[in-house]
Amino acid sequence: MRTALLQSSGRPGSTVENLKVLDEAAGRAAAAGAALLAAPEMFLTGYAIGDDIARLAEPADGDAADAIADIASRHGLAIAYGYPERFSEAVYNSAQLISADGTRLANYRKTHLFGCFERDHFTPGDQPVVQAELNGLRVGLMICYDVEFPENVRAHALAGTDLLLVPTAQMHPFQFVAECVVPVRAFENQMYVAYVNRVGQEGEFEFVGLSTLAGPDGIARTRAGRGEELVLADVDPAFLAASREANPYLKDRRPGLYGSLV
């Protein structure tokens, strides 16, 4: 399944403009044969927008979700994107996956909030593994800091995730996460991991780009630079199956020894 990563910070503070950016990227991704387009954390509204996070937050089935469902349907590809989700009195840092026919497949709320900024503006989610079936693959969702906790990704591996989508807002000086941690997570858990980042200065944060799609062999299939970019790579189910057969990590686990972890 050809997967496109939209490395962009869009137009912070403007949902309307970000939907236009997403629409244009979806057209380019579809023309390149992609069946899935992934956008970064909080792509819909921007990340470092302060109290506008609460003002622009929408329900998972809100107007923006409908607009993205229309984009997905017109271009014939699935779309995953980050956004602030309004649910009752809470605001979550969420990511949603919408199918190529416009169906809402999965919605995930970030479980591990990073720093004072996120803790001041969001409520943490409490469901660690969220998955959906897409084109014969089991696709999981996670957001940024979540992937830095090995237990989180291992839970996805044990639940059968084939492709883990990680919209992110990775900032300086933590670029080693994109460069080193993400490929290791893919290798040790025998899955593909798509890590798609924001870029440039936004408020107090400098986002580092370096979006990547890493395979179960720990090798990056594609890696973006530090600017706005659309990169593509293939997720190969046959290669994944062969890699899982050859790599014994999950088969050689001894869960009885790990009780102290919880």
Side-chain angles (χ1 to χ4, degrees):
M1 180 174 70
R2 182 151 294 178
T3 301
L5 311 182
L6 173 59
Q7 179 168 284
S8 172
S9 287
R11 308 295 178 263
S14 176
T15 298
V16 171
E17 291 302 314
N18 289 327
L19 288 171
K20 291 179 182 177
V21 173
L22 191 65
D23 193 0
E24 188 272 338
R28 286 191 286 139
L36 169 64
L37 170 66
E41 180 177 4
M42 291 286 288
F43 181 78
L44 183 64
T45 61
Y47 180 90
I49 58 173
D51 291 340
D52 280 348
I53 289 173
R55 181 179 66 84
L56 295 174
E58 294 191 16
D61 60 353
D63 291 343
D66 289 343
I68 293 172
D70 177 68
I71 293 170
S73 297
R74 282 191 289 103
H75 295 291
L77 81 174
I79 297 176
Y81 65 100
Y83 74 107
E85 179 192 356
R86 169 73 67 185
F87 184 81
S88 186
E89 298 302 311
V91 175
Y92 296 94
N93 184 337
S94 295
Q96 183 152 231
L97 175 64
I98 295 179
S99 74
D101 65 5
T103 302
R104 292 174 49 244
L105 295 179
N107 188 70
Y108 170 78
R109 296 165 176 170
K110 190 174 186 178
T111 54
H112 295 74
L113 301 181
F114 179 78
C116 296
F117 178 84
E118 291 193 4
R119 289 193 290 269
D120 287 345
H121 289 94
F122 299 108
T123 297
D126 58 9
Q127 187 174 354
V129 177
V130 172
Q131 299 168 310
E133 298 298 320
L134 181 67
N135 294 5
L137 293 169
R138 187 168 295 180
V139 177
L141 291 171
M142 194 173 281
I143 299 174
C144 197
Y145 194 39
D146 291 328
V147 81
E148 298 177 40
F149 292 81
E151 302 91 340
N152 256 15
V153 188
R154 180 52 54 87
H156 269 274
L158 297 176
T161 293
D162 300 314
L163 168 62
L164 183 62
L165 301 178
V166 190
T168 190
Q170 183 63 65
M171 57 198 69
H172 178 81
F174 305 111
Q175 48 265 33
F176 65 88
V177 174
E179 294 170 337
C180 302
V181 175
V182 168
V184 169
R185 289 286 179 270
F187 177 72
E188 68 190 4
N189 291 289
Q190 288 300 290
M191 62 174 64
Y192 285 89
V193 180
Y195 188 80
V196 53
N197 199 10
R198 306 179 68 83
V199 292
Q201 195 73 34
E202 192 176 326
E204 62 184 290
F205 306 112
E206 180 190 348
F207 299 115
V208 299
L210 302 176
S211 299
T212 188
L213 195 155
D217 53 1
I219 295 173
R221 299 302 191 269
T222 187
R223 188 182 295 282
R226 297 296 187 97
E228 298 219 349
E229 196 171 349
L230 183 73
V231 296
L232 297 98
D234 292 329
V235 174
D236 183 349
F239 182 84
L240 179 60
S243 182
R244 286 173 169 172
E245 183 62 29
N247 187 305
Y249 278 160
L250 298 181
K251 291 179 288 188
D252 287 351
R253 292 174 68 251
R254 297 180 62 191
L257 300 180
Y258 312 145
S260 62
L261 292 177
V262 293

